[in-house]
Amino acid sequence: MDEFLTRAQVQEAADYIRAHTRHRPTVGLVLGSGLGDLAEAVEDADRLPTADIPQWPRSTVEGHAGRLVIGRLEGQTVLVQQGRAHYYEGHSLQRVTLPIRVMQLLGLHSVILTNAAGGINPEFVPGDVMLIVDQINLIGMAGLSPLRGPNDASLGPRFPDMSVPFDRELRALAAAAAAEAGLALRQGVYAGLAGPSFESPADLRFLRTAGADAVGMSTVSEVIVARHGGLRVLGLSGISNKANLDGSTVTTHQEVLEAGRVIVPKLTGVVRGVLRRLPNEARA
Ligand code: HPA
């Protein structure tokens, strides 16, 4: 779907948020399916329904609250996006990734993207947390890029580099945070598809051969917009189900939401540890 947003439209959303919070966030956190409860940890929070924010894409999916929670967490001022919109809901990729552009215009330096994903690596079990070390942008390879259309050079370059999509320093902080919390942090490559149908066994064998460890329906386009806009990115996948490479099991959205209950405390530990280790805001 062609729908190109201008900087002025993104600015409308950013201005609304600035006018409705006392805080000036520097780190963004996007919470995936079933992971919304991570926002409960935020202190001194301002809560904004995203339905009130101009230009913001609506999420229609169960498990996505549609709220921004802005406040303090581990010495940082964070903007937490509880629930995201997906391409399969009918939005353009520019609309889906508008929240990342808004974070850019609000002056955030980093964003932590979380998602629920199917585990393709046979060693992964539901409940695992995977640090995303790289991504396969399958939806992009199929021609769907959030950067398609006119490039506003004030937001980023026409041909952005993607040699290091996930920030090395943030990855190291996540590994250190997980070690301190006694959590086994998996590492792997995330493949992003359009959804909403889950993958066939042959899709999954293809993804495994291509080097994917986990698969989901979000994140990759957000990473591209964040890198285009100069934000540093940390990606964490909660493995909600074993991808069904031989057709012997069925994957359901309910299963994805239920796995979130096991994953949220682990993710909370990693995210808290990363925030605690970041330079404090004065130096950021
Ligand atoms: N496939 C795609 N997306 C997902 C899955 C899956 O198995 N689990 C959670 N999100």
Side-chain angles (χ1 to χ4, degrees):
M1 192 203 304
D2 287 350
E3 183 189 23
F4 305 130
L5 299 176
T6 62
R7 182 178 180 124
Q9 286 171 300
V10 182
Q11 192 68 52
E12 270 181 63
D15 288 347
Y16 179 93
I17 294 165
R18 217 175 238 144
H20 287 81
T21 180
R22 304 156 283 154
H23 298 292
R24 292 291 171 262
T26 57
V27 180
L29 178 58
V30 178
L31 302 181
S33 295
L35 307 176
D37 284 353
L38 226 152
E40 303 302 322
V42 176
E43 292 153 20
D44 200 15
D46 292 327
R47 293 187 172 78
L48 282 60
T50 52
D52 296 343
I53 305 174
Q55 305 294 345
W56 205 272
R58 294 283 170 91
S59 176
T60 58
V61 190
E62 187 189 350
H64 289 266
R67 198 179 302 123
L68 292 189
V69 181
I70 308 172
R72 303 280 302 168
L73 191 58
E74 298 293 345
Q76 307 288 335
T77 308
V78 293
L79 180 150
V80 185
Q81 184 189 332
Q82 233 182 354
R84 58 152 69 84
H86 303 80
Y87 179 73
Y88 62 74
E89 293 176 81
H91 308 287
S92 71
L93 277 184
Q94 286 212 347
R95 184 77 58 187
V96 165
T97 55
L98 173 118
I100 307 296
R101 276 288 178 231
V102 169
M103 292 179 195
Q104 178 187 356
L105 292 194
L106 288 174
L108 279 66
H109 58 74
S110 302
V111 60
I112 303 174
L113 302 172
T114 72
N115 57 52
I120 296 178
N121 185 321
E123 290 181 9
F124 291 3
V125 292
D128 279 352
V129 174
M130 183 188 90
L131 176 66
I132 308 178
V133 297
D134 204 344
Q135 69 178 18
I136 302 179
N137 180 19
L138 269 173
I139 180 171
M141 291 181 199
L144 295 169
S145 171
L147 305 182
R148 185 168 175 272
N151 184 63
D152 183 337
S154 75
L155 293 174
R158 173 77 285 186
F159 300 108
D161 174 61
M162 284 294 285
S163 56
V164 187
F166 298 93
D167 188 82
R168 288 198 182 98
E169 190 190 345
L170 293 178
R171 271 150 54 189
L173 296 186
E180 186 189 66
L183 267 170
L185 188 64
R186 305 289 198 172
Q187 301 210 2
V189 172
Y190 175 91
L193 280 65
S197 51
F198 289 113
E199 301 71 34
S200 71
D203 286 335
L204 292 165
R205 288 194 297 271
F206 165 78
L207 294 172
R208 180 74 193 134
T209 306
D213 296 289
V215 59
M217 305 173 191
S218 66
T219 306
V220 291
S221 305
E222 294 164 8
V223 172
I224 285 172
V225 170
R227 293 309 302 140
H228 181 254
L231 274 82
R232 303 201 293 162
V233 181
L234 178 68
L236 295 164
S237 288
I239 303 299
S240 54
N241 56 287
K242 252 185 175 322
N244 175 23
L245 275 86
D246 63 3
S248 62
T249 55
V250 173
T251 302
T252 65
H253 187 56
Q254 208 49 43
E255 184 182 9
V256 172
L257 295 184
E258 276 163 22
R261 281 186 219 124
V262 184
I263 293 166
V264 164
K266 297 184 186 178
L267 269 181
T268 305
V270 177
V271 168
R272 274 187 182 279
V274 169
L275 294 175
R276 212 163 37 232
R277 284 171 169 76
L278 277 179
N280 71 30
E281 289 176 331
R283 286 185 282 128

Short mmCIF file of all heavy atoms in Angstrom, two decimals, residues 116-119 197-199 215-217 240-243 251 256, ligand 1:
data_model
loop_
_atom_site.label_atom_id
_atom_site.label_comp_id
_atom_site.label_asym_id
_atom_site.label_seq_id
_atom_site.Cartn_x
_atom_site.Cartn_y
_atom_site.Cartn_z
N ALA A 116 7.34 -11.13 20.13
CA ALA A 116 7.14 -12.57 20.32
C ALA A 116 7.52 -13.23 19.01
O ALA A 116 7.21 -12.71 17.94
CB ALA A 116 5.68 -12.85 20.65
N ALA A 117 8.21 -14.35 19.09
CA ALA A 117 8.68 -14.98 17.86
C ALA A 117 8.60 -16.49 17.98
O ALA A 117 8.64 -17.05 19.09
CB ALA A 117 10.12 -14.56 17.59
N GLY A 118 8.51 -17.13 16.84
CA GLY A 118 8.58 -18.59 16.79
C GLY A 118 10.04 -19.01 16.75
O GLY A 118 10.84 -18.41 16.04
N GLY A 119 10.37 -20.03 17.52
CA GLY A 119 11.76 -20.50 17.55
C GLY A 119 12.03 -21.47 16.42
O GLY A 119 11.39 -22.52 16.34
N SER A 197 -0.77 -15.06 8.47
CA SER A 197 -0.75 -16.52 8.59
C SER A 197 0.60 -16.94 9.15
O SER A 197 1.63 -16.33 8.84
CB SER A 197 -1.00 -17.17 7.23
OG SER A 197 -0.12 -16.65 6.26
N PHE A 198 0.59 -17.96 10.00
CA PHE A 198 1.84 -18.54 10.45
C PHE A 198 2.49 -19.28 9.27
O PHE A 198 1.86 -19.46 8.23
CB PHE A 198 1.60 -19.48 11.65
CG PHE A 198 1.24 -18.74 12.93
CD1 PHE A 198 -0.02 -18.87 13.48
CD2 PHE A 198 2.17 -17.92 13.56
CE1 PHE A 198 -0.35 -18.19 14.65
CE2 PHE A 198 1.85 -17.24 14.72
CZ PHE A 198 0.58 -17.38 15.28
N GLU A 199 3.71 -19.73 9.46
CA GLU A 199 4.47 -20.29 8.35
C GLU A 199 4.10 -21.76 8.10
O GLU A 199 3.77 -22.49 9.03
CB GLU A 199 5.97 -20.20 8.65
CG GLU A 199 6.47 -18.79 8.88
CD GLU A 199 6.02 -18.20 10.20
OE1 GLU A 199 5.90 -18.95 11.19
OE2 GLU A 199 5.76 -16.98 10.23
N VAL A 215 11.38 -16.37 14.03
CA VAL A 215 10.56 -15.73 12.99
C VAL A 215 9.39 -15.00 13.62
O VAL A 215 8.80 -15.46 14.60
CB VAL A 215 10.07 -16.77 11.95
CG1 VAL A 215 9.24 -17.88 12.60
CG2 VAL A 215 9.27 -16.11 10.83
N GLY A 216 9.07 -13.83 13.05
CA GLY A 216 7.94 -13.06 13.56
C GLY A 216 7.40 -12.12 12.49
O GLY A 216 7.85 -12.14 11.35
N MET A 217 6.43 -11.29 12.91
CA MET A 217 5.69 -10.45 11.96
C MET A 217 5.90 -8.96 12.22
O MET A 217 5.05 -8.14 11.88
CB MET A 217 4.20 -10.79 12.03
CG MET A 217 3.90 -12.26 11.80
SD MET A 217 2.17 -12.63 12.10
CE MET A 217 2.21 -14.43 12.09
N SER A 240 7.99 -17.72 21.82
CA SER A 240 6.68 -18.09 22.37
C SER A 240 6.25 -19.49 21.96
O SER A 240 5.37 -20.08 22.57
CB SER A 240 5.63 -17.07 21.92
OG SER A 240 5.65 -16.95 20.53
N ASN A 241 6.84 -20.01 20.92
CA ASN A 241 6.46 -21.34 20.43
C ASN A 241 7.58 -21.89 19.60
O ASN A 241 8.43 -21.16 19.09
CB ASN A 241 5.18 -21.24 19.59
CG ASN A 241 5.34 -20.26 18.44
OD1 ASN A 241 5.37 -19.05 18.66
ND2 ASN A 241 5.48 -20.77 17.25
N LYS A 242 7.58 -23.20 19.46
CA LYS A 242 8.54 -23.84 18.58
C LYS A 242 7.95 -23.80 17.18
O LYS A 242 6.82 -24.23 16.97
CB LYS A 242 8.72 -25.29 19.01
CG LYS A 242 10.07 -25.58 19.67
CD LYS A 242 10.16 -27.05 19.95
CE LYS A 242 11.48 -27.52 20.50
NZ LYS A 242 12.72 -26.97 20.05
N ALA A 243 8.67 -23.25 16.23
CA ALA A 243 8.16 -23.25 14.86
C ALA A 243 8.05 -24.70 14.39
O ALA A 243 8.86 -25.54 14.73
CB ALA A 243 9.08 -22.45 13.96
N THR A 251 0.43 -23.77 15.68
CA THR A 251 0.76 -22.53 16.39
C THR A 251 -0.49 -21.66 16.48
O THR A 251 -1.20 -21.50 15.50
CB THR A 251 1.87 -21.77 15.65
OG1 THR A 251 3.00 -22.62 15.54
CG2 THR A 251 2.26 -20.50 16.39
N VAL A 256 0.94 -17.77 21.93
CA VAL A 256 1.91 -16.67 21.91
C VAL A 256 1.68 -15.77 23.13
O VAL A 256 2.62 -15.38 23.83
CB VAL A 256 1.78 -15.87 20.59
CG1 VAL A 256 2.63 -14.62 20.62
CG2 VAL A 256 2.14 -16.75 19.40
N1 HPA B 1 5.60 -17.32 13.46
C1 HPA B 1 5.47 -15.99 13.17
N2 HPA B 1 5.27 -15.07 14.10
C2 HPA B 1 5.21 -15.47 15.37
C3 HPA B 1 5.33 -16.82 15.74
C4 HPA B 1 5.53 -17.79 14.73
O1 HPA B 1 5.66 -19.01 14.97
N3 HPA B 1 5.22 -16.86 17.09
C5 HPA B 1 5.04 -15.59 17.51
N4 HPA B 1 5.03 -14.75 16.48
#
